[in-house]
Amino acid sequence: MTLRVGNASGFYGDRFDALREMLTGGELDVLTGDYLAELTMLILGRDRLKDPGAGYARTFLRQLEDCLGLARERGVRIVTNAGGLNPAGLADAVRQLADRLGIPVRVAHVEGDDLTAAHPGSLAAHAYLGGFGIAECLRAGADIVVTGRVTDAALVTGPAAAHFGWGPGEYDRLAGAVVAGHVLECGTQATGGNYAFFAAAGAAAGADAGAGRDLRRPGFPLAELHEDGSCLITKHPGTGGFVDVGTVTAQLLYETGGARYAGPDVTARLDSVRLSQDGPDRVRIEGVRGEAPPPALKVGRNRLGGFRNEVVFVLTGLDIEAKAALVREQMADALAKSPPSGVTWELVRTDRPDADTEERASALLRLVVRDRDQETVGRALTGAAVELALASYPGFHVLAPPGKGAPYGVFEDVYVPHGDVPHMAVLHDGRRIPVPPAQDTLVLQDPPEPPLPEPPPAAGPTRRAPLGLVAGARSGDKGGNANVGVWVRSDEAWRWLAHTLTVDTFRHLLPETAELPVTRHLLPNLRALNFTVEGILGEGVAAQHRFDPQAKALGEWLRSRHLDIPEALL
């Protein structure tokens, strides 16, 4: 008894026609859509300030208008967190759409995650709910289930629990569904999108798009789930991209920490996951172990942090450092009367000597300011920068005129007991079914570190080369922290990686992490290391603390760094 669950959205703004593509491309039982992220909740919160009836992903409604009849005809149920801050509002909008189109559908929603009223000063504060509210809605016959803030994996665990009849204590089965949900949640990242070895994959396909590795338009993933919690990750036939152990490994490492992947229904043990290739574009996931969830639910709290502005000065030709020093001194003098609370300068040396174009001869000097007062980072900065136009370094110009300063957000994690969150399934007939909080919980601690593999054989010849010739990586954000998952594709490379890429080596390769807490976790089944870096993103993505505010490319920076690699691995 297999349950086929697909994904048609990894974020708010993903490929618009993916819903139709997934409904027409092959067999499905359930189609999910993940529209929420930490930044999205802030955006939706600002929408709701302007219009109390807003707060959900309007894109989903437009997609559904094109595909609702198709889903009904094919018997595919739809489960989505597009409800955002207003799941009841989106559920009503879907009913109105269905009535207008003359398509009979049963629409239910899940609520109870909104704790904003209990967190004064927050623009939005929402608990991450599990999948059992979704399961209640599906068991009662819903065709479409709309949620607010649930865990990304809950979009899969809910349908699986409903289909197979799983109860709250069946931790191994639930953990298997969590892992499947984590692989699906980011859409095409499981089918070759954002994949470290994309160049080799494209070369393997050659000019033959029929080889299935055309990465110009990767297909969206689906999971064939089984009653024991195991699954098979694949995609519809004929769609682009590819599914192999590497693409699945990369997504498993995305935005995770240690061996325990905690959620409201279950704690999945990532160190138990076993992957195997089960044919072209088919990867089997099995052996996943589960434990009780932690005693508290995570609440994502978004608040406005103040106002932000920036100016990017273009420095061309000779004396780049001296030009940068001059304009920094001039701006410091101009802002001295009312200095912003936060000032950051960054010189990016994109210039080259004896360049054949002006752009290649230029470097960029970026000034970012933050303050609670919009005026302090608005006209004060604008006027100071503009007044330097004829009185600063030779060749003075900026990429764009400074604006008036824009609000920025701050994301924080807080935790509340399960019983403090009124998890509720609101069925298509209006009945309200409370979802009991988790009864068994586990105070999580990192499990004992697994033993290192045997060290590699006695050193042979080595070559100074980029780490990325041997290892893949994927990185991402969790609030102000980042993770970098690094994996290799052979046992020999794993023995070398596990003994070579220590925390000290990691800090040396990424100097921005040198003064920050860094933790390394071993995942031998995946031939992977997962590093967490605390505080590198400041107050979260919305605060835009650094050049890459979501740490999306932190792993690629690591792969580009050179170290001594055994020639046998190259």
Side-chain angles (χ1 to χ4, degrees):
M1 186 168 62
T2 300
L3 177 69
R4 292 174 63 86
V5 180
N7 170 280
S9 176
F11 68 100
Y12 190 10
D14 210 342
R15 204 157 78 211
F16 186 86
D17 60 358
L19 202 68
R20 172 169 288 276
E21 179 182 304
M22 289 301 288
L23 288 170
T24 58
E27 293 297 318
L28 280 180
D29 299 304
V30 178
L31 184 56
T32 66
D34 182 6
Y35 290 78
L36 300 184
E38 293 168 2
L39 182 60
T40 314
M41 299 297 280
L42 178 69
I43 293 169
L44 294 177
R46 292 174 62 184
D47 287 348
R48 193 170 60 173
L49 285 178
K50 301 172 188 174
D51 176 6
Y56 55 78
R58 297 182 183 275
T59 305
F60 173 71
L61 269 182
R62 299 203 307 272
Q63 291 173 297
L64 201 61
E65 183 168 11
D66 181 52
C67 297
L68 184 58
L70 188 60
R72 175 73 176 170
E73 174 188 315
R74 299 199 168 212
V76 178
R77 296 163 123 182
I78 295 175
V79 179
T80 179
N81 61 15
L85 278 59
N86 188 6
L90 179 55
D92 284 341
V94 171
R95 293 185 190 100
Q96 294 170 21
L97 173 65
D99 289 345
R100 178 164 59 83
L101 297 176
I103 301 171
V105 293
R106 293 163 293 193
V107 183
H109 73 274
V110 176
E111 62 186 31
D113 59 298
D114 190 349
L115 304 182
T116 307
H119 294 268
S122 296
L123 186 61
H126 290 255
Y128 288 72
L129 303 180
F132 282 101
I134 296 170
E136 287 284 359
C137 294
L138 293 172
R139 286 169 180 153
D143 301 303
I144 297 176
V145 181
V146 172
T147 78
R149 179 75 276 188
V150 296
T151 64
D152 300 336
L155 301 177
V156 174
T157 59
H163 183 78
F164 296 117
W166 296 340
E170 299 188 58
Y171 294 136
D172 288 349
R173 291 177 170 87
L174 289 167
V178 164
V179 169
H182 181 55
V183 173
L184 296 190
E185 70 184 54
C186 289
T188 53
Q189 280 197 167
T191 59
N194 298 353
Y195 183 54
F197 297 115
F198 78 100
D208 181 11
R213 294 204 166 190
D214 182 356
L215 294 179
R216 293 171 298 178
R217 189 180 171 87
F220 278 70
L222 63 94
E224 298 174 358
L225 288 137
H226 306 294
E227 197 276 336
D228 65 355
S230 65
C231 72
L232 205 147
I233 305 296
T234 184
K235 63 185 184 70
H236 282 328
T239 56
F242 63 102
V243 179
D244 69 10
V245 168
T247 65
V248 173
T249 298
Q251 179 55 28
L252 279 174
L253 295 172
Y254 182 63
E255 294 183 346
T256 60
R260 285 190 164 104
Y261 187 61
D265 298 323
V266 65
T267 298
R269 289 291 297 264
L270 297 182
D271 55 352
S272 66
V273 176
R274 297 198 305 271
L275 305 179
S276 59
Q277 199 74 35
D278 199 50
D281 293 322
R282 295 174 68 83
V283 171
R284 184 172 299 281
I285 302 179
E286 54 194 345
V288 184
R289 301 298 305 273
E291 300 169 336
L297 290 179
K298 176 181 172 181
V299 177
R301 188 166 65 187
N302 288 276
R303 60 178 173 84
L304 293 178
F307 295 87
R308 176 188 182 280
N309 206 351
E310 71 174 70
V311 186
V312 179
F313 300 92
V314 182
L315 315 174
T316 304
L318 304 177
D319 305 319
I320 295 294
E321 300 285 348
K323 288 172 179 173
L326 174 59
V327 75
R328 288 185 62 165
E329 291 170 2
Q330 290 175 311
M331 288 298 294
D333 290 344
L335 298 176
K337 291 181 181 178
S338 181
S341 60
V343 178
T344 304
W345 288 92
E346 185 173 12
L347 176 60
V348 183
R349 296 299 301 264
T350 51
D351 56 303
R352 302 177 188 176
D354 195 21
D356 57 353
T357 68
E358 183 177 338
E359 186 171 1
R360 293 191 184 99
S362 300
L364 302 177
L365 178 63
R366 184 168 176 245
L367 166 63
V368 178
V369 294
R370 293 181 176 83
D371 200 88
R372 290 279 183 181
D373 177 40
Q374 187 172 14
E375 180 64 23
T376 299
V377 300
R379 292 181 182 176
L381 180 76
T382 300
V386 170
E387 288 172 4
L388 292 178
L390 304 180
S392 189
Y393 59 85
F396 179 99
H397 66 286
V398 296
L399 284 185
K404 61 182 181 180
Y408 70 89
V410 172
F411 179 84
E412 300 163 326
D413 287 345
V414 295
Y415 293 85
V416 300
H418 287 253
D420 287 1
V421 178
H423 192 174
M424 186 74 65
V426 184
L427 307 185
H428 62 276
D429 57 9
R431 286 181 294 149
R432 301 174 66 85
I433 308 296
V435 178
Q439 298 302 308
D440 297 322
T441 60
L442 177 70
V443 177
L444 297 184
Q445 297 177 335
D446 286 335
E449 189 77 357
L452 286 168
E454 289 294 318
T462 62
R463 190 196 326 158
R464 196 79 177 167
L467 174 63
L469 295 184
V470 173
R474 180 163 285 165
S475 55
D477 63 313
K478 281 295 181 185
N481 303 335
N483 91 291
V484 184
V486 186
W487 81 96
V488 289
R489 297 176 288 182
S490 70
D491 290 338
E492 293 77 13
W494 167 237
R495 292 164 67 186
W496 173 79
L497 183 77
H499 286 272
T500 301
L501 193 56
T502 62
V503 167
D504 286 344
T505 302
F506 181 91
R507 286 193 173 114
H508 173 73
L509 294 175
L510 302 186
E512 287 182 29
T513 71
E515 303 301 322
L516 298 172
V518 177
T519 305
R520 185 180 93 150
H521 304 277
L522 271 73
L523 298 169
N525 284 2
L526 301 177
R527 300 193 192 104
L529 304 172
N530 203 0
F531 294 87
T532 56
V533 186
E534 297 178 33
I536 191 170
L537 303 179
E539 295 177 301
V541 54
Q544 297 190 6
H545 176 74
R546 67 188 297 273
F547 167 68
D548 174 16
Q550 290 181 283
K552 298 293 189 183
L554 196 60
E556 286 302 293
W557 179 27
L558 179 67
R559 293 182 69 235
S560 74
R561 299 288 281 155
H562 290 222
L563 68 171
D564 294 327
I565 300 175
E567 288 189 353
L569 300 180
L570 295 170

mmCIF file with all atom_site columns, all heavy atoms in Angstrom, residues 63-74:
data_model
loop_
_atom_site.group_PDB
_atom_site.id
_atom_site.type_symbol
_atom_site.label_atom_id
_atom_site.label_alt_id
_atom_site.label_comp_id
_atom_site.label_asym_id
_atom_site.label_entity_id
_atom_site.label_seq_id
_atom_site.pdbx_PDB_ins_code
_atom_site.Cartn_x
_atom_site.Cartn_y
_atom_site.Cartn_z
_atom_site.occupancy
_atom_site.B_iso_or_equiv
_atom_site.pdbx_formal_charge
_atom_site.auth_seq_id
_atom_site.auth_comp_id
_atom_site.auth_asym_id
_atom_site.auth_atom_id
_atom_site.pdbx_PDB_model_num
ATOM 1  N N   . GLN A 1 63 ? -2.632  29.754 -8.768  1.00 0.00 ? 63 GLN A N   1
ATOM 2  C CA  . GLN A 1 63 ? -2.272  28.425 -9.272  1.00 0.00 ? 63 GLN A CA  1
ATOM 3  C C   . GLN A 1 63 ? -3.478  27.494 -9.230  1.00 0.00 ? 63 GLN A C   1
ATOM 4  O O   . GLN A 1 63 ? -3.725  26.726 -10.164 1.00 0.00 ? 63 GLN A O   1
ATOM 5  C CB  . GLN A 1 63 ? -1.133  27.845 -8.439  1.00 0.00 ? 63 GLN A CB  1
ATOM 6  C CG  . GLN A 1 63 ? 0.196   28.545 -8.600  1.00 0.00 ? 63 GLN A CG  1
ATOM 7  C CD  . GLN A 1 63 ? 1.234   28.020 -7.625  1.00 0.00 ? 63 GLN A CD  1
ATOM 8  O OE1 . GLN A 1 63 ? 1.077   28.139 -6.412  1.00 0.00 ? 63 GLN A OE1 1
ATOM 9  N NE2 . GLN A 1 63 ? 2.291   27.435 -8.151  1.00 0.00 ? 63 GLN A NE2 1
ATOM 10 N N   . LEU A 1 64 ? -4.226  27.576 -8.137  1.00 0.00 ? 64 LEU A N   1
ATOM 11 C CA  . LEU A 1 64 ? -5.360  26.674 -7.955  1.00 0.00 ? 64 LEU A CA  1
ATOM 12 C C   . LEU A 1 64 ? -6.475  26.968 -8.946  1.00 0.00 ? 64 LEU A C   1
ATOM 13 O O   . LEU A 1 64 ? -7.176  26.057 -9.395  1.00 0.00 ? 64 LEU A O   1
ATOM 14 C CB  . LEU A 1 64 ? -5.875  26.802 -6.523  1.00 0.00 ? 64 LEU A CB  1
ATOM 15 C CG  . LEU A 1 64 ? -6.701  25.636 -5.982  1.00 0.00 ? 64 LEU A CG  1
ATOM 16 C CD1 . LEU A 1 64 ? -5.870  24.359 -5.986  1.00 0.00 ? 64 LEU A CD1 1
ATOM 17 C CD2 . LEU A 1 64 ? -7.183  25.939 -4.569  1.00 0.00 ? 64 LEU A CD2 1
ATOM 18 N N   . GLU A 1 65 ? -6.634  28.216 -9.291  1.00 0.00 ? 65 GLU A N   1
ATOM 19 C CA  . GLU A 1 65 ? -7.673  28.560 -10.271 1.00 0.00 ? 65 GLU A CA  1
ATOM 20 C C   . GLU A 1 65 ? -7.447  27.820 -11.582 1.00 0.00 ? 65 GLU A C   1
ATOM 21 O O   . GLU A 1 65 ? -8.386  27.404 -12.249 1.00 0.00 ? 65 GLU A O   1
ATOM 22 C CB  . GLU A 1 65 ? -7.677  30.074 -10.506 1.00 0.00 ? 65 GLU A CB  1
ATOM 23 C CG  . GLU A 1 65 ? -8.766  30.528 -11.452 1.00 0.00 ? 65 GLU A CG  1
ATOM 24 C CD  . GLU A 1 65 ? -8.943  32.040 -11.455 1.00 0.00 ? 65 GLU A CD  1
ATOM 25 O OE1 . GLU A 1 65 ? -8.098  32.740 -10.882 1.00 0.00 ? 65 GLU A OE1 1
ATOM 26 O OE2 . GLU A 1 65 ? -9.952  32.499 -12.013 1.00 0.00 ? 65 GLU A OE2 1
ATOM 27 N N   . ASP A 1 66 ? -6.209  27.628 -11.918 1.00 0.00 ? 66 ASP A N   1
ATOM 28 C CA  . ASP A 1 66 ? -5.861  26.934 -13.161 1.00 0.00 ? 66 ASP A CA  1
ATOM 29 C C   . ASP A 1 66 ? -5.932  25.418 -13.023 1.00 0.00 ? 66 ASP A C   1
ATOM 30 O O   . ASP A 1 66 ? -6.090  24.716 -14.020 1.00 0.00 ? 66 ASP A O   1
ATOM 31 C CB  . ASP A 1 66 ? -4.441  27.356 -13.575 1.00 0.00 ? 66 ASP A CB  1
ATOM 32 C CG  . ASP A 1 66 ? -3.987  26.722 -14.871 1.00 0.00 ? 66 ASP A CG  1
ATOM 33 O OD1 . ASP A 1 66 ? -4.738  26.825 -15.856 1.00 0.00 ? 66 ASP A OD1 1
ATOM 34 O OD2 . ASP A 1 66 ? -2.895  26.126 -14.892 1.00 0.00 ? 66 ASP A OD2 1
ATOM 35 N N   . CYS A 1 67 ? -5.852  24.904 -11.781 1.00 0.00 ? 67 CYS A N   1
ATOM 36 C CA  . CYS A 1 67 ? -5.641  23.459 -11.603 1.00 0.00 ? 67 CYS A CA  1
ATOM 37 C C   . CYS A 1 67 ? -6.657  22.763 -10.707 1.00 0.00 ? 67 CYS A C   1
ATOM 38 O O   . CYS A 1 67 ? -6.558  21.542 -10.518 1.00 0.00 ? 67 CYS A O   1
ATOM 39 C CB  . CYS A 1 67 ? -4.251  23.204 -11.033 1.00 0.00 ? 67 CYS A CB  1
ATOM 40 S SG  . CYS A 1 67 ? -2.889  23.710 -12.102 1.00 0.00 ? 67 CYS A SG  1
ATOM 41 N N   . LEU A 1 68 ? -7.603  23.485 -10.140 1.00 0.00 ? 68 LEU A N   1
ATOM 42 C CA  . LEU A 1 68 ? -8.517  22.863 -9.189  1.00 0.00 ? 68 LEU A CA  1
ATOM 43 C C   . LEU A 1 68 ? -9.332  21.741 -9.841  1.00 0.00 ? 68 LEU A C   1
ATOM 44 O O   . LEU A 1 68 ? -9.483  20.652 -9.269  1.00 0.00 ? 68 LEU A O   1
ATOM 45 C CB  . LEU A 1 68 ? -9.454  23.918 -8.595  1.00 0.00 ? 68 LEU A CB  1
ATOM 46 C CG  . LEU A 1 68 ? -10.415 23.428 -7.506  1.00 0.00 ? 68 LEU A CG  1
ATOM 47 C CD1 . LEU A 1 68 ? -9.658  22.808 -6.340  1.00 0.00 ? 68 LEU A CD1 1
ATOM 48 C CD2 . LEU A 1 68 ? -11.290 24.583 -7.017  1.00 0.00 ? 68 LEU A CD2 1
ATOM 49 N N   . GLY A 1 69 ? -9.861  21.997 -11.033 1.00 0.00 ? 69 GLY A N   1
ATOM 50 C CA  . GLY A 1 69 ? -10.627 20.966 -11.730 1.00 0.00 ? 69 GLY A CA  1
ATOM 51 C C   . GLY A 1 69 ? -9.784  19.753 -12.056 1.00 0.00 ? 69 GLY A C   1
ATOM 52 O O   . GLY A 1 69 ? -10.252 18.605 -11.962 1.00 0.00 ? 69 GLY A O   1
ATOM 53 N N   . LEU A 1 70 ? -8.533  19.989 -12.410 1.00 0.00 ? 70 LEU A N   1
ATOM 54 C CA  . LEU A 1 70 ? -7.626  18.898 -12.742 1.00 0.00 ? 70 LEU A CA  1
ATOM 55 C C   . LEU A 1 70 ? -7.348  18.027 -11.522 1.00 0.00 ? 70 LEU A C   1
ATOM 56 O O   . LEU A 1 70 ? -7.356  16.790 -11.605 1.00 0.00 ? 70 LEU A O   1
ATOM 57 C CB  . LEU A 1 70 ? -6.329  19.497 -13.288 1.00 0.00 ? 70 LEU A CB  1
ATOM 58 C CG  . LEU A 1 70 ? -5.288  18.553 -13.874 1.00 0.00 ? 70 LEU A CG  1
ATOM 59 C CD1 . LEU A 1 70 ? -5.858  17.774 -15.048 1.00 0.00 ? 70 LEU A CD1 1
ATOM 60 C CD2 . LEU A 1 70 ? -4.065  19.352 -14.320 1.00 0.00 ? 70 LEU A CD2 1
ATOM 61 N N   . ALA A 1 71 ? -7.109  18.662 -10.372 1.00 0.00 ? 71 ALA A N   1
ATOM 62 C CA  . ALA A 1 71 ? -6.871  17.898 -9.144  1.00 0.00 ? 71 ALA A CA  1
ATOM 63 C C   . ALA A 1 71 ? -8.100  17.079 -8.772  1.00 0.00 ? 71 ALA A C   1
ATOM 64 O O   . ALA A 1 71 ? -7.989  15.908 -8.374  1.00 0.00 ? 71 ALA A O   1
ATOM 65 C CB  . ALA A 1 71 ? -6.497  18.850 -8.007  1.00 0.00 ? 71 ALA A CB  1
ATOM 66 N N   . ARG A 1 72 ? -9.271  17.685 -8.893  1.00 0.00 ? 72 ARG A N   1
ATOM 67 C CA  . ARG A 1 72 ? -10.513 16.973 -8.580  1.00 0.00 ? 72 ARG A CA  1
ATOM 68 C C   . ARG A 1 72 ? -10.723 15.785 -9.509  1.00 0.00 ? 72 ARG A C   1
ATOM 69 O O   . ARG A 1 72 ? -11.070 14.675 -9.091  1.00 0.00 ? 72 ARG A O   1
ATOM 70 C CB  . ARG A 1 72 ? -11.681 17.959 -8.692  1.00 0.00 ? 72 ARG A CB  1
ATOM 71 C CG  . ARG A 1 72 ? -13.053 17.350 -8.506  1.00 0.00 ? 72 ARG A CG  1
ATOM 72 C CD  . ARG A 1 72 ? -13.283 16.997 -7.065  1.00 0.00 ? 72 ARG A CD  1
ATOM 73 N NE  . ARG A 1 72 ? -14.648 16.493 -6.871  1.00 0.00 ? 72 ARG A NE  1
ATOM 74 C CZ  . ARG A 1 72 ? -15.085 15.940 -5.759  1.00 0.00 ? 72 ARG A CZ  1
ATOM 75 N NH1 . ARG A 1 72 ? -14.278 15.842 -4.722  1.00 0.00 ? 72 ARG A NH1 1
ATOM 76 N NH2 . ARG A 1 72 ? -16.323 15.519 -5.658  1.00 0.00 ? 72 ARG A NH2 1
ATOM 77 N N   . GLU A 1 73 ? -10.469 15.994 -10.776 1.00 0.00 ? 73 GLU A N   1
ATOM 78 C CA  . GLU A 1 73 ? -10.647 14.934 -11.782 1.00 0.00 ? 73 GLU A CA  1
ATOM 79 C C   . GLU A 1 73 ? -9.723  13.758 -11.527 1.00 0.00 ? 73 GLU A C   1
ATOM 80 O O   . GLU A 1 73 ? -10.110 12.599 -11.708 1.00 0.00 ? 73 GLU A O   1
ATOM 81 C CB  . GLU A 1 73 ? -10.389 15.540 -13.168 1.00 0.00 ? 73 GLU A CB  1
ATOM 82 C CG  . GLU A 1 73 ? -10.389 14.582 -14.321 1.00 0.00 ? 73 GLU A CG  1
ATOM 83 C CD  . GLU A 1 73 ? -9.937  15.265 -15.600 1.00 0.00 ? 73 GLU A CD  1
ATOM 84 O OE1 . GLU A 1 73 ? -10.397 16.389 -15.878 1.00 0.00 ? 73 GLU A OE1 1
ATOM 85 O OE2 . GLU A 1 73 ? -9.095  14.677 -16.318 1.00 0.00 ? 73 GLU A OE2 1
ATOM 86 N N   . ARG A 1 74 ? -8.511  14.048 -11.078 1.00 0.00 ? 74 ARG A N   1
ATOM 87 C CA  . ARG A 1 74 ? -7.518  12.996 -10.888 1.00 0.00 ? 74 ARG A CA  1
ATOM 88 C C   . ARG A 1 74 ? -7.518  12.435 -9.468  1.00 0.00 ? 74 ARG A C   1
ATOM 89 O O   . ARG A 1 74 ? -6.727  11.533 -9.161  1.00 0.00 ? 74 ARG A O   1
ATOM 90 C CB  . ARG A 1 74 ? -6.125  13.531 -11.237 1.00 0.00 ? 74 ARG A CB  1
ATOM 91 C CG  . ARG A 1 74 ? -6.049  13.980 -12.692 1.00 0.00 ? 74 ARG A CG  1
ATOM 92 C CD  . ARG A 1 74 ? -4.636  14.063 -13.188 1.00 0.00 ? 74 ARG A CD  1
ATOM 93 N NE  . ARG A 1 74 ? -4.648  14.209 -14.642 1.00 0.00 ? 74 ARG A NE  1
ATOM 94 C CZ  . ARG A 1 74 ? -3.710  13.720 -15.449 1.00 0.00 ? 74 ARG A CZ  1
ATOM 95 N NH1 . ARG A 1 74 ? -2.705  13.045 -14.935 1.00 0.00 ? 74 ARG A NH1 1
ATOM 96 N NH2 . ARG A 1 74 ? -3.783  13.890 -16.738 1.00 0.00 ? 74 ARG A NH2 1
#
